[in-house]
């Protein structure tokens, strides 16, 4: 849902920056790779140590590369299947690193096996939610559904909560660290709902497509 409304806004905001990078000879693929590396560094260097505020700052800086690289490709007229594949694949890598960072914290100094398991579930369910859409589209279905918690929602909910929770350790704000566990549970439950929405949609669309195919074959036989 957030992706539908926020993406167009940030695309407009980042267009001048994308144009600047193109003038400097930077390629969209380079931005994709650098952005993913930055997100992974922020998640896997800071989060396992409980440095959620600074980790979120680093990730937020680099996560916008997902909008900049596509904007650059469109401005340069070089959009390609390879670029789309690379971008989508590295999005999954970056998302996995964020929730892996949370899991490593709770498996270590955070000392909470339940929340470690929830973070791992968020990681896995996010990958499966993305897979269901990609797989549905690969068999010719539109998968026309806006899920409750898609990638944009997962990132915003988890990163905003992590950044605010980091105020406890970085600035000494009491009680605010509870926001991260709450966010992880919200993402976990929301991912289950989103997965169910996509599965139901694919089942309906596949039944409609099969029925239309059967009707077409029947019409061809009688004619």
């Amino acid at each position: 849902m957030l992706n539908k409304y926020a993406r167009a806004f940030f695309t407009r905001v980042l267009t001048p920056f994308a144009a600047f990078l193109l003038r400097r000879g930077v390629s969209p693929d380079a931005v994709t790779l650098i952005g993913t590396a930055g997100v992974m560094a922020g998640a896997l260097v800071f989060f396992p140590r409980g440095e959620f505020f600074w980790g979120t700052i680093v990730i937020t800086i680099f996560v916008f590369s997902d909008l900049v690289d596509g904007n650059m490709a469109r401005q340069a007229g070089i959009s390609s299947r390879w670029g789309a594949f690379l971008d989508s694949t590295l999005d999954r890598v970056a998302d996995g690193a964020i929730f892996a960072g949370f899991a490593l914290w709770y498996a270590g100094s955070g000392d909470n096996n339940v929340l470690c398991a929830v973070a791992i579930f968020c990681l896995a369910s996010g990958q499966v939610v993305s897979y269901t859409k990609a797989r549905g589209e690969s068999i010719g279905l539109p998968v026309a559904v806006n899920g409750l918690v898609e990638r944009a929602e997962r990132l915003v909910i988890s990163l905003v909560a992590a950044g605010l929770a980091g105020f406890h350790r970085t600035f000494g704000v009491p009680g605010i660290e509870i926001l991260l566990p709450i966010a992880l549970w919200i993402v976990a439950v929301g991912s289950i709902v989103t997965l169910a929405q996509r599965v139901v949609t694919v089942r309906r669309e596949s039944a409609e497509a099969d029925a239309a195919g059967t009707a077409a074959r029947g019409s061809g036989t009688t004619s």
Side-chain angles (χ1 to χ4, degrees), residues 28-78:
D29 287 352
V31 172
T32 302
L33 291 168
I34 293 170
T36 302
V39 171
M40 292 179 66
L44 298 178
V45 172
F46 291 94
F47 284 178
R49 298 185 301 175
E51 299 289 346
F52 295 117
F53 177 77
W54 294 114
T56 300
I57 294 297
V58 172
I59 291 170
T60 301
I61 291 171
F62 284 100
V63 80
F64 283 104
S65 66
D66 186 46
L67 298 176
V68 174
D69 55 6
N71 194 315
M72 292 172 64
R74 287 189 294 273
Q75 288 191 48
I78 56 174

Side-chain angles (χ1 to χ4, degrees):
M1 291 184 292
L2 278 175
N3 188 59
K4 178 180 178 181
Y5 300 104
R7 193 175 188 90
F9 169 77
F10 283 111
T11 296
R12 289 194 299 271
V13 171
L14 294 171
T15 293
F17 180 61
F20 170 80
L21 292 177
L22 286 172
R23 290 195 299 271
R24 294 298 182 273
V26 180
S27 72
D29 287 352
V31 172
T32 302
L33 291 168
I34 293 170
T36 302
V39 171
M40 292 179 66
L44 298 178
V45 172
F46 291 94
F47 284 178
R49 298 185 301 175
E51 299 289 346
F52 295 117
F53 177 77
W54 294 114
T56 300
I57 294 297
V58 172
I59 291 170
T60 301
I61 291 171
F62 284 100
V63 80
F64 283 104
S65 66
D66 186 46
L67 298 176
V68 174
D69 55 6
N71 194 315
M72 292 172 64
R74 287 189 294 273
Q75 288 191 48
I78 56 174
S79 297
S80 65
R81 290 182 176 88
W82 162 250
F85 170 81
L86 181 67
D87 184 59
S88 179
T89 299
L90 293 184
D91 281 350
R92 307 288 83 76
V93 174
D95 293 357
I98 290 171
F99 289 102
F102 294 144
L104 288 171
W105 162 250
Y106 286 116
S109 300
D111 193 23
N112 192 316
N113 289 336
V114 172
L115 289 176
C116 175
V118 173
I120 292 172
F121 178 83
C122 290
L123 189 163
S125 61
Q127 307 299 314
V128 175
V129 166
S130 297
Y131 173 80
T132 54
K133 185 174 180 64
R135 182 57 178 150
E137 291 175 342
S138 74
I139 58 176
L141 301 175
V143 196
V145 59
N146 290 320
L148 179 65
V149 177
E150 297 184 335
R151 183 174 187 256
E153 286 83 4
R154 290 196 301 271
L155 289 179
V156 169
I157 293 170
S158 58
L159 291 179
V160 168
L164 292 175
F167 277 53
H168 172 68
R169 181 165 182 169
T170 305
F171 303 108
V173 179
I176 202 168
E177 68 274 13
I178 192 64
L179 291 178
L180 181 56
I182 292 172
L184 290 175
W185 279 108
I186 290 173
V187 171
V189 173
S191 296
I192 294 173
V193 173
T194 304
L195 178 60
Q197 288 175 305
R198 290 193 172 178
V199 169
V200 169
T201 298
V202 169
R203 180 177 175 80
R204 174 179 54 78
E205 290 178 348
S206 62
E208 292 171 352
D210 291 343
T214 300
R217 288 193 296 271
S219 176
T221 301
T222 56
S223 61

